[in-house]
Amino acid sequence: MAYNQLVTDLAPLFLEDMPLVDLRAPIEFEEGAFPHAINLPLMSNEERALVGTCFKQHGQAAAIELGHSLVCGEVKAERMAAWQAHLAAHPNAVLYCFRGGLRSQTVQQWLAEAGLERPRVAGGYKALRQLLIQTVEQSARDDAWTVLTGMTGSGKTHLLNRVARAIDLEGHAHHRGSSFGRLPEGQPTPINFDNALAIEILKRRHRGEHHFAVEDESHLIGRCAIPLPLFERMGRAPVVVVEVTRDERAEQIRQDYVVDLAKRYRTRHGAEAGWVLFCEALLESLARLKKRLGDLGWRELDALMRSALEEQARSGHSEGHLAWIILLLERYYDPMYLYQLEKKQDRIVFRGDRAACLDYLNQLADPAL
């Protein structure tokens, strides 16, 4: 392998889950990166800021000179040791910085001088990111998409997890997509959500898949925005409606948003602290709907929720939550859903129960089924 080797065919880096060494500063990495990348920066945040200021005031040559003076001696030795250790464990890793320029070229040269030659990404992070953006745009334009909708609590996510060609947008967003959708694990950055979603689409298109089913979502899933080309495509896509009784939906919500959510908080934070955080999260979720429910409506539901939480804490039983869940469905979620469904009438291609919708969606993905 020759020094200064560039990787110009970028898709295989994602298709093959190649290990990537991100040489950007930590603040850049935290804003957005790729699933198989590790951040081993050439410069710290502070060093990068100093070099950037120098570049603006005195030009590139002075900035390069400052960079070399900041990363030298023991600092350089420590960072070299980290790169060498990681590359020893991942000998097929590829280097990149923001544009594939000075930072990755410098590290590539230093490693080569130490007898370790590794390629860097032509165009760096920016080129990799552009590939993923173009992947989503192309799929939204060229592939077939079907949207699954249904009243709140219909178990749409659970159903889609059994569909061969479904893409779980909420799974990528780490959020359940409603006012009650926040999870204790938190969400990825919007860019990391974009990247992970695009990589899944890239891999599946590479396998020859070109028909995808997704859940009906708002543009924002928590803080993560569905890429605009895909969201607009979803707004034109055929719609499948899953029909589930109100009582079944209320029970599904109790399982997902009470039983499962309480367990997740306790698993993450411990039994006592997790319970407190779960109660706070549930009450805050309801409070976010106060304007829509009106003060009196919110107070009634809040009292029912607090009573159910007290009963759950005392006895371990969560059935008391069904009272506020059913009222919330009747007063808020069901009317909102029916209003939105009315605007989709001309795109509805199928209605049925969970089993029928599952069969229909799987047949769309693979007519041989």
Side-chain angles (χ1 to χ4, degrees), residues 336-353:
M336 180 177 63
Y337 168 80
L338 292 171
Y339 171 75
Q340 295 294 334
L341 185 64
E342 184 64 28
K343 296 189 289 187
K344 302 181 178 77
Q345 288 296 323
D346 60 340
R347 294 193 285 124
I348 296 174
V349 294
F350 187 83
R351 289 176 177 266
D353 61 17

Side-chain angles (χ1 to χ4, degrees), residues 37-62:
I38 184 172
N39 188 214
L40 296 173
L42 171 61
M43 292 184 291
S44 67
N45 293 334
E46 295 77 12
E47 291 161 351
R48 172 178 173 266
L50 289 171
V51 170
T53 300
C54 181
F55 179 85
K56 290 178 182 178
Q57 294 177 348
H58 305 291
Q60 185 182 63

Side-chain angles (χ1 to χ4, degrees), residues 184 261-281:
L261 197 59
K263 181 179 179 181
R264 291 173 80 145
Y265 270 99
R266 284 170 157 163
T267 298
R268 188 169 184 82
H269 299 285
E272 187 173 342
W275 172 255
V276 171
L277 291 170
F278 161 69
C279 293
E280 290 176 350

Side-chain angles (χ1 to χ4, degrees), residues 261-314:
L261 197 59
K263 181 179 179 181
R264 291 173 80 145
Y265 270 99
R266 284 170 157 163
T267 298
R268 188 169 184 82
H269 299 285
E272 187 173 342
W275 172 255
V276 171
L277 291 170
F278 161 69
C279 293
E280 290 176 350
L282 204 62
L283 290 164
E284 288 171 3
S285 296
L286 182 63
R288 284 195 288 274
L289 298 178
K290 185 175 181 178
K291 288 185 179 180
R292 295 178 180 270
L293 295 168
D295 185 67
L296 289 177
W298 166 75
R299 287 181 183 275
E300 181 183 4
L301 288 165
D302 182 75
L304 288 171
M305 182 181 285
R306 290 178 186 275
S307 176
L309 288 169
E310 289 172 4
E311 178 188 343
Q312 189 178 0
R314 184 173 56 253

Side-chain angles (χ1 to χ4, degrees), residues 62-84:
I64 293 173
E65 183 178 353
L66 176 59
H68 281 283
S69 69
L70 291 171
V71 185
C72 65
E74 291 185 5
V75 172
K76 178 180 176 180
E78 288 175 3
R79 291 175 194 174
M80 281 288 294
W83 296 322
Q84 289 170 314

Side-chain angles (χ1 to χ4, degrees), residues 99-345:
R99 291 188 180 88
L102 288 172
R103 283 182 285 181
S104 56
Q105 189 172 4
T106 297
V107 173
Q108 185 182 46
Q109 180 178 346
W110 287 352
L111 289 169
E113 290 168 353
L116 188 57
E117 296 181 336
R118 292 307 307 149
R120 60 189 170 94
V121 175
Y125 172 84
K126 190 173 182 181
L128 292 168
R129 177 92 171 113
Q130 190 60 36
L131 168 67
L132 296 181
I133 290 171
Q134 290 171 352
T135 295
V136 175
E137 290 175 348
Q138 185 177 23
S139 180
R141 183 179 64 249
D142 298 340
D143 294 336
W145 291 81
T146 301
V147 172
L148 174 67
T149 193
M151 286 187 168
T152 302
S154 298
K156 297 181 290 293
T157 301
H158 299 290
L159 193 157
L160 281 175
N161 286 338
R162 300 165 60 196
V163 174
R165 300 288 171 83
I167 291 179
D168 186 357
L169 297 173
E170 293 181 4
H172 281 298
H174 299 176
H175 193 282
R176 285 178 170 152
S178 72
S179 300
F180 290 80
R182 288 191 298 182
L183 299 174
E185 299 83 3
Q187 288 193 266
T189 67
I191 291 175
N192 284 353
F193 165 76
D194 278 2
N195 289 343
L197 172 60
I199 290 169
E200 179 181 358
I201 293 172
L202 178 71
K203 288 180 175 180
R204 295 173 71 160
R205 298 184 92 238
H206 183 72
R207 295 198 298 262
E209 299 179 24
H210 293 283
H211 191 157
F212 306 109
V214 289
E215 185 174 341
D216 194 10
E217 303 282 0
S218 301
H219 188 204
L220 284 176
I221 306 177
R223 68 171 182 170
C224 296
I226 298 172
L228 189 57
L230 177 54
F231 182 70
E232 291 178 343
R233 180 69 180 85
M234 290 167 59
R236 304 188 302 271
V239 172
V240 171
V241 182
V242 60
E243 298 175 328
V244 182
T245 68
R246 189 204 64 185
D247 288 346
E248 288 178 295
R249 293 187 290 115
E251 176 59 23
Q252 185 70 64
I253 291 170
R254 183 180 73 87
Q255 289 294 328
D256 288 345
Y257 292 87
V258 177
V259 177
D260 177 65
L261 197 59
K263 181 179 179 181
R264 291 173 80 145
Y265 270 99
R266 284 170 157 163
T267 298
R268 188 169 184 82
H269 299 285
E272 187 173 342
W275 172 255
V276 171
L277 291 170
F278 161 69
C279 293
E280 290 176 350
L282 204 62
L283 290 164
E284 288 171 3
S285 296
L286 182 63
R288 284 195 288 274
L289 298 178
K290 185 175 181 178
K291 288 185 179 180
R292 295 178 180 270
L293 295 168
D295 185 67
L296 289 177
W298 166 75
R299 287 181 183 275
E300 181 183 4
L301 288 165
D302 182 75
L304 288 171
M305 182 181 285
R306 290 178 186 275
S307 176
L309 288 169
E310 289 172 4
E311 178 188 343
Q312 189 178 0
R314 184 173 56 253
S315 68
H317 299 303
S318 61
E319 286 75 13
H321 287 277
L322 290 171
W324 67 262
I325 291 171
I326 289 171
L327 276 182
L328 188 59
L329 288 174
E330 291 177 347
R331 295 180 181 178
Y332 176 65
Y333 281 109
D334 288 0
M336 180 177 63
Y337 168 80
L338 292 171
Y339 171 75
Q340 295 294 334
L341 185 64
E342 184 64 28
K343 296 189 289 187
K344 302 181 178 77
Q345 288 296 323

